[in-house]
Amino acid sequence: MRYTPFQPFRWRLAHGRSLELGPRGVLMAIINVTPDSFSDGGRFTDAGAAVAAAFCAVEEGAEILDIGGESTRPDAEPVSAEEEQARVMPVIAALAAETEAIISIDTYRANTARLAVEAGAHIVNDVHGLQREPAIASVAAETGAGLCIMHTGRGREKLGDVIEDQFHFLDRSLEIAAKAGVRREQIVLDPGFGFAKDTDENLELIGRFEELHRFALPLLVGTSRKRFVGAVTGREAQARDVGTAATTALLRAQGAAIFRVHDVAINRDALAMADAMLTAKNSRRDMKP
C-alpha cells in the first residue's frame, strides 16, 4: 500500500489497532518523563503527573501520546536503559489501562521498545532511524507495532543538499526495516527537524517539504518549540507555540500527516484551519467542469 498525501492510508499498529492518516491532520502529544528535556524537563518526572498531562492532551485533541524517558537535546546526559524503563513503563501501563488513546514509546533501544509494546504501547518512535540499534526494527516486525523512523544528522557527515540527505539516510533505514520484515503499512517517516540542522536547513526543509512525498509514506513532523523557531521569532523555548502552530499549518498544507507537539490546543486550531482550507480548495477543484 502506497501513501498519497491527503488520501486515506490505514496505519497498522500493535494490539490490533490502526489509525487513518491523510484526510485530516493528527496530533501526537509530547509527554517527556525526564528532568532535562529542553522545554518541559522536570514537569512530569513522576508517573502520576505524566499520566495527568496525557489525559489533558487527549481532552485537547491529541490522538497519540508519545512517552519518552531520555532527553534528545544535543547536550543531554545519556541515561541507562534501566533508568529509561523505570521512567516510562509505569506511565505506559497506566495509560494502557485507563485510556483508548494510541500510545507511542519514544526510544532507540530495542529492549525498551519491546517492553513498552508488551505493556500496551502501539507505536515505536526511533529518533535514530533504526541505525543505532537495528534490532528495534525486529521488535516492530514481531509485534506489529507502528514504526516512526526519524532522520538525524547527528554523529555523521551530512550531504550538502537537505533533501538528498533525507533520502541518503532514510533509504538506509527503510532497507533495515524491510530486511527485518516490517510491513510498509506500519511505517511513518519523520524528517527530523532540529536534529543537527541549522536554521537555514530547517527552513529549506519546510520550503521543499513536498519533495519528501517521493517516499510514498506518511510524514510525521516535530517542529515544536525547536531552536530554529526561536531563531525566527526571537522567543525562548516555552514561548514558541505560536511559531510552532504556524509551521503546523504550513506543513499540513504540504501534506504532513502527523504533528508531534507540546501545546496540543493551539496546534489543534492551526490544523483545523489548514484542513478547512484544504477541503475548500478541493471542493472548488471538484466543481470545475
Side-chain angles (χ1 to χ4, degrees):
M1 182 178 182
R2 293 177 68 82
Y3 176 78
T4 301
F6 310 120
Q7 298 302 309
F9 177 95
R10 184 61 58 179
W11 189 19
R12 302 297 178 181
L13 313 176
H15 311 298
R17 296 289 297 273
S18 65
L19 182 63
E20 185 181 77
L21 304 177
R24 58 184 178 78
V26 172
L27 289 167
M28 171 188 274
I30 299 168
I31 309 293
N32 286 321
V33 196
T34 59
D36 57 347
S37 292
F38 78 96
S39 79
D40 59 357
R43 288 189 63 200
F44 315 128
T45 53
D46 68 87
V51 169
F55 286 153
C56 181
V58 171
E59 289 178 2
E60 291 179 337
E63 295 182 58
I64 307 171
L65 303 169
D66 193 38
I67 315 301
E70 180 174 354
S71 174
T72 57
R73 62 185 175 83
D75 56 348
E77 289 292 326
V79 302
S80 66
E82 291 76 16
E83 177 63 22
E84 178 191 39
Q85 292 159 18
R87 292 174 179 179
V88 302
M89 295 306 295
V91 178
I92 291 169
L95 290 173
E98 299 177 36
T99 180
E100 289 298 308
I102 292 168
I103 302 165
S104 169
I105 175 64
D106 180 359
T107 187
Y108 57 84
R109 294 186 174 96
N111 188 47
T112 300
R114 186 178 298 279
L115 291 172
V117 175
E118 289 174 356
H122 307 95
I123 297 166
V124 176
N125 181 14
D126 182 4
V127 299
H128 287 279
L130 315 182
Q131 297 189 38
R132 181 156 173 175
E133 288 195 17
I136 205 166
S138 297
V139 174
E142 293 162 14
T143 63
L147 187 59
C148 297
I149 302 175
M150 198 193 81
H151 173 281
T152 182
R154 292 181 183 174
R156 64 184 182 84
E157 187 171 340
K158 298 183 299 181
L159 300 183
D161 182 89
V162 294
I163 299 298
E164 286 183 12
D165 195 69
Q166 291 281 323
F167 282 89
H168 173 73
F169 182 87
L170 290 173
D171 280 344
R172 170 60 181 149
S173 297
L174 289 170
E175 181 182 339
I176 293 169
K179 286 183 177 178
V182 180
R183 294 176 299 165
R184 195 168 180 85
E185 57 264 34
Q186 291 175 252
I187 298 174
V188 164
L189 300 180
D190 178 350
F193 285 98
F195 279 75
K197 300 173 185 69
D198 63 25
T199 296
D200 289 343
E201 289 171 317
N202 284 296
L203 294 176
E204 183 177 0
L205 191 53
I206 292 175
R208 298 175 62 189
F209 188 80
E210 290 179 318
E211 295 180 47
L212 299 178
H213 292 310
R214 284 161 40 203
F215 283 114
L217 285 165
L219 298 172
L220 179 153
V221 294
T223 61
S224 190
R225 300 180 182 174
K226 291 289 174 71
R227 187 175 300 173
F228 80 94
V229 177
V232 172
T233 63
R235 304 283 187 180
E236 294 300 318
Q238 292 186 353
R240 295 173 186 166
D241 292 318
V242 173
T244 298
T247 67
T248 292
L250 287 166
L251 289 165
R252 178 58 188 155
Q254 296 185 77
I258 304 173
F259 301 81
R260 184 178 182 273
V261 300
H262 295 88
D263 189 313
V264 173
I266 194 170
N267 286 281
R268 178 198 61 206
D269 289 354
L271 276 183
M273 290 302 303
D275 280 335
M277 289 185 287
L278 287 167
T279 299
K281 179 180 178 180
N282 291 334
S283 294
R284 288 194 300 273
R285 180 182 299 146
D286 292 342
M287 288 188 296
K288 288 182 179 180

